[in-house]
Amino acid sequence: ALETDARKSSAWLMRGRIELSRKNVQDARRAFEHVLRDIAKHDVYALCSLGNYYLAAARSEMARAQEAPDQKGARDLALANYRRAIEFFDKCLTLDGNCAAAAHGAAIAMAERGFAADARRIFQDVRDAATVGMGPAHVTVPSSDLVYRAAPALTAAQSDTPPVASDVILWASVNAAHALVDVANYHQAILAYEACLRRLQDTSQALELAAADAQSLVVPGIAGENDADKSSGPPAVERVSATERAERTRVERDIRLYLVRAMYLHAKASKDIDTMKKALEETRLLCSAIDFTLPQSPKPDADGDVPMDDDEVKTTKLSPEHGQLLFDLALLEQSVAQMVGEQPEGSRTLQALDQASADLAHSTSLFSFLASWGKLNQKKQKLQFSARLATERSAYGKSLVAKLA
């Protein structure tokens, strides 16, 4: 297309999108800048894509500044990139006041700069506008929290249900819940995350039904056709649907992790043991998908502890995400046990004490394993938890035993 018409903006935008899908971020940026500079300076897609580019750059520089606090230049560059991102998003909204992707991106930049209350208002506006049809129900530019990842294609069915990566209502709702957490409104954040899960489940059911309808409408193969012709129909629908299902499973897991975090913070702040138990049960469900058995030595040591089997620790394979999830499980088990131990003696049952003691023993062993495993693997992969903190938590768990006696 570019060979026949080098000024065809749609071709340059498609090229930018392809480069993003290949993680060639700088090439994508140049493609979008070419559109704005040489073809159409008011192209909303290109403007929004560049806003997402500078937002991602700001996040990268901010992460570098947090890892090395003495690098003042990184923080200054991050703030400059945030401002640049907002400028692009603002330009989009000037040209198209209903551009949900631009409003969403601007709100994310504001939230990450510390203006959580203002960002939450914008997220809610985006969600409400998309819900009542004032804004687009779904967009072609990926939402900023999934920046530089191409949105999955819809199934062959002509469904109004958006693919999860470009579901404006869902991601505006998720980010509004994040903003509630940032201002310590944990109870409302819990309700917001639960609403996000319902939204995801509802749209997933609708998408599955649309895929099933498309499957039933495919014309069966005619006798005598070759195998290549026969395979050009239904399997394509199945492949796209499977990709979207896998993505929705991943997104559901992430939202449940956000929900658990909000529950934990609410339970700690309000000393609500029931909410802490709900967070623990939710985490156990998430951990049930991990192929993991806690390695142990057959005999306790001199202090009565059950040490980790070094050989089994060395051979245990965990992804960084699974290591973090197991750390969260141990932390929640310990937290519930601590809260049970702090209850007045007259208000706790023998069954509750026995369960808390069992959870505490498992938590302490799991922290001990994670401390050993983390020290062995911290040079091989970037851990999402602190091996030092796991060691401290294991020791703290041992000190809690007396409270449950």
Side-chain angles (χ1 to χ4, degrees), residues 103-119:
H104 196 187
I108 290 173
M110 292 174 65
E112 294 182 0
R113 289 188 63 188
F115 304 104
D118 292 333

Side-chain angles (χ1 to χ4, degrees), residues 1-15 31 34-35 38-40 43:
L2 289 175
E3 289 179 357
T4 58
D5 185 358
R7 292 183 58 81
K8 191 175 182 63
S9 61
S10 59
W12 280 100
L13 294 174
M14 180 59 71
R15 179 174 178 175
H34 175 75
V35 171
D38 300 327
I39 303 174
D43 188 286

Side-chain angles (χ1 to χ4, degrees), residues 146-165:
L146 298 174
V147 72
Y148 300 138
R149 196 193 71 181
L154 280 170
T155 60
Q158 297 302 305
S159 171
D160 290 332
T161 305
V164 68

Side-chain angles (χ1 to χ4, degrees), residues 267-268 270-273 276 334-348 352-353 356 360 393 396 399-405:
K268 292 287 285 185
S270 60
K271 300 188 183 302
D272 183 349
I273 190 171
M276 190 70 80
Q334 188 179 91
S335 298
V336 170
Q338 179 181 355
M339 295 177 84
V340 170
E342 291 172 349
Q343 289 179 323
E345 290 187 8
S347 63
R348 57 191 190 185
L353 284 170
L360 183 60
R393 279 286 174 178
Y396 181 61
S399 73
L400 293 176
V401 174
K403 291 185 177 182
L404 298 174

Side-chain angles (χ1 to χ4, degrees), residues 351-366:
Q351 182 181 4
L353 284 170
D354 288 344
Q355 183 62 55
S357 296
D359 287 346
L360 183 60
H362 181 263
S363 168
T364 302
S365 295
L366 187 51

Side-chain angles (χ1 to χ4, degrees), residues 50-103:
L50 285 172
N52 281 337
Y53 166 81
Y54 283 105
L55 179 58
R59 287 171 162 174
S60 177
E61 291 299 331
M62 190 60 75
R64 191 162 68 90
Q66 290 171 349
E67 292 175 358
D70 57 325
Q71 295 288 329
K72 185 176 181 298
R75 181 174 179 79
D76 291 343
L77 184 55
L79 293 176
N81 281 329
Y82 275 126
R83 287 193 293 270
R84 190 79 172 119
I86 291 174
E87 287 174 3
F88 277 107
F89 292 134
D90 281 347
K91 184 64 178 294
C92 286
L93 292 169
T94 299
L95 296 167
D96 180 3
N98 287 330
C99 182

